[in-house]
Amino acid sequence: MNTQVATDTTTARINGDRLWASLMELAKIGATPKGGVCRLTLTDLDKQGRDLVTGWAREAGMTVTIDKIGNGFMRRAGRNNSLPPIMTGSHIDTQPTGGKFDGNYGVLAGIEVVRTLNDLGIETEAPIEVAFWTNEEGSRFVPVMMGSGVFAKAFTLEHAYAALDTEGKSVKGELERIGYIGPQEPGDHPIGAYFETHIEQGPVLEDADVTIGVVQGVLGIRWFDCTVTGMEAHAGPTPMALRKDALQISTRIMQEVVACAMRHQPHGRGTVGMVQVFPNSRNVIPGRVKFSIDLRNATDALVDQMADEVKAYAMKAAKDSGLDVKIEMVSSYPAQVFHSDCVDAVGRAAKKLGYSNMPAVSGAGHDAVYMARLAPSGMIFIPCKDGISHNEIEDAKPEHITAGCNVLLHAMLERAGVV
Ligand SMILES: [Zn+2]
């Protein structure tokens, strides 16, 4: 019979002031005059950020290992270290005009969870690991979510190493230069579960006045280029009935992109963000129009259905008008539905802690998307001011920062098991 008395963790809470102070401390590295942060991946400033965070981890008694793509793993031992770790993490690189919270919050929330476990003397069955992933932002080197992508074997280490910035510097060279090319093989260790805490980067939670978004998954994306070809002609002498106006047909298709997204609520998104009109002259009937179509939805089946509907509409418009319409897919990113065990753990933690919460979806990519290929994964969203990120004015409220981290603590404790 197991005589071990389970530690009661019901009242465990993180130290919100300490977490906030750490966020503000890290934000000093690369601070911009407008209150944001510019800490591009694999720069000297990124090295300083990495040194600060790994220093904090060591102070909290964690071991730090670095893999070959520069991902950092900060580990707090469990009672049974043969179990795969329960992991959390995010990234500490920023956009050139980035904010203090995007990514940084997810990493420092993990450190705060460990500091709290230390304060309260709570031992977990499985180890706890906090990761920072290299080059999530993708602004200096492509592809985005590079470190987690290599870890999840979405692409090879060699592919990532070869990426060059605009000055011709390589990922491998820059990793070596800042001393963050580690010996560990990316993806070498299994993960029990992965949680990522993040600002929402959208306006839904703030609009609903809700503290916690229980993230169900990340939207699937399909990108198309649409080209409509008609005939240029003089705007004066050509009667309306005898025109082949490529822009008129294009605007109908553009309206259908939006209408289609409206038919596929709650998560359908349809955007035309780029339009080129030829010859782009005020007294010439447009002979050719090229525009982008961005469709998103919560599952691949739904986003593919949206694409079919838009294509069918475009083909009918082509037939009715006699103009040539071509739609070509240029990129496709699969939807990621998070594992119900992790989604439910987040929902239970929010409820137990008395925070208002609602299901949420992520319209942006995150490291958790790649982790979800390896282990049950989930995300915790908190509101950010006006839904704005990738901007120096990005802001979040201390009480939301605290709440998200408390949810992380309890979700991780549930998965890690408390001795
Ligand atoms: Zn991020």
Side-chain angles (χ1 to χ4, degrees):
M1 201 180 87
N2 186 359
T3 52
Q4 189 85 39
V5 180
T7 313
D8 183 13
T9 59
T10 318
T11 58
R13 297 290 183 275
I14 63 103
N15 182 333
D17 292 340
R18 180 170 56 190
L19 171 55
W20 185 263
S22 296
L23 274 163
M24 294 308 118
E25 188 70 26
L26 181 55
K28 286 181 189 164
I29 303 173
T32 61
K34 287 184 188 165
V37 179
C38 174
R39 201 184 320 116
L40 298 184
T41 192
L42 308 185
T43 56
D44 291 348
L45 291 172
D46 186 25
K47 175 191 161 43
Q48 285 177 36
R50 288 163 175 258
D51 289 350
L52 181 63
V53 170
T54 52
W56 282 335
R58 289 191 181 98
E59 277 169 27
M62 303 165 86
T63 54
V64 178
T65 54
I66 307 292
D67 73 8
K68 289 180 174 172
I69 189 65
N71 296 321
F73 302 98
M74 304 175 282
R75 186 180 173 105
R76 182 182 193 258
R79 188 161 174 257
N80 181 353
N81 290 305
S82 63
L83 290 172
I86 302 306
M87 189 187 272
T88 188
S90 197
H91 57 96
I92 56 169
D93 65 319
T94 76
Q95 292 285 331
T97 52
K100 303 182 191 77
F101 303 98
D102 179 357
N104 296 284
Y105 173 44
V107 176
L108 297 187
I111 301 263
E112 178 54 37
V113 163
V114 170
R115 288 169 169 170
T116 301
L117 297 179
N118 291 346
D119 288 350
L120 301 177
I122 296 171
E123 204 179 4
T124 54
E125 188 70 18
I128 298 281
E129 215 164 87
V130 182
F132 56 83
W133 305 105
T134 295
N135 185 30
E136 191 273 349
E137 294 288 5
S139 62
R140 185 178 176 203
F141 298 105
V142 175
V144 297
M145 301 185 284
M146 180 180 275
S148 53
V150 171
F151 191 89
K153 301 193 168 31
F155 40 86
T156 63
L157 181 63
E158 288 65 37
H159 177 68
Y161 274 170
L164 302 177
D165 70 3
T166 51
E167 293 172 15
K169 292 177 179 162
S170 73
V171 164
K172 189 174 187 196
E174 289 297 272
L175 275 168
E176 280 166 349
R177 191 182 64 79
I178 67 163
Y180 271 88
I181 190 160
Q184 205 173 331
E185 212 54 59
D188 66 340
H189 61 295
I191 299 165
Y194 180 83
F195 293 97
E196 184 166 345
T197 315
H198 210 283
I199 54 169
E200 183 195 6
Q201 302 183 281
V204 179
L205 294 174
E206 188 183 63
D207 184 59
D209 194 19
V210 162
T211 302
I212 299 292
V214 182
V215 186
Q216 314 289 303
V218 178
L219 302 183
I221 306 170
R222 304 289 182 272
W223 281 350
F224 300 91
D225 280 343
C226 181
T227 308
V228 178
T229 309
M231 178 67 80
E232 291 98 322
H234 197 300
T238 320
M240 299 311 282
L242 301 178
R243 295 175 174 214
K244 290 187 171 177
D245 185 336
L247 185 56
Q248 287 307 308
I249 304 307
S250 297
T251 55
R252 282 188 222 160
I253 300 170
M254 291 176 198
Q255 290 299 322
E256 165 60 13
V257 169
V258 174
C260 175
M262 293 305 289
R263 289 195 300 273
H264 287 274
Q265 290 304 296
H267 300 310
R269 316 258 201 269
T271 306
V272 175
M274 211 166 66
V275 183
Q276 292 167 289
V277 180
F278 302 95
N280 208 26
S281 171
R282 76 173 66 239
N283 59 352
V284 180
I285 298 162
R288 189 160 59 91
V289 175
K290 194 174 171 190
F291 58 98
S292 61
I293 300 175
D294 175 320
L295 299 175
R296 302 181 190 222
N297 212 325
T299 67
D300 286 317
L302 282 169
V303 70
D304 286 335
Q305 195 190 326
M306 287 173 68
D308 286 347
E309 289 175 21
V310 170
K311 277 189 239 168
Y313 183 95
M315 291 310 119
K316 187 172 182 308
K319 199 168 163 237
D320 292 350
S321 64
L323 272 63
D324 185 61
V325 178
K326 282 197 174 60
I327 296 189
E328 199 187 345
M329 184 150 84
V330 289
S331 281
S332 167
Y333 304 93
Q336 181 64 60
V337 177
F338 287 135
H339 197 288
S340 58
D341 285 359
C342 288
V343 175
D344 293 349
V346 170
R348 267 194 296 277
K351 200 173 162 204
K352 186 168 85 179
L353 292 157
Y355 297 131
S356 58
N357 63 90
M358 64 188 279
V361 291
S362 176
H366 293 288
D367 294 308
V369 174
Y370 283 137
M371 288 306 104
R373 297 185 183 185
L374 303 176
S377 297
M379 290 189 78
I380 301 155
F381 275 173
I382 60 159
C384 55
K385 192 170 185 299
D386 300 324
I388 288 174
S389 71
H390 288 191
N391 189 316
E392 290 161 280
I393 63 167
E394 175 187 289
D395 203 4
K397 289 185 177 156
E399 61 263 39
H400 292 152
I401 292 282
T402 301
C405 190
N406 272 323
V407 172
L408 177 69
L409 169 71
H410 283 270
M412 290 186 83
L413 281 175
E414 183 188 309
R415 296 293 299 183
V418 178
V419 182

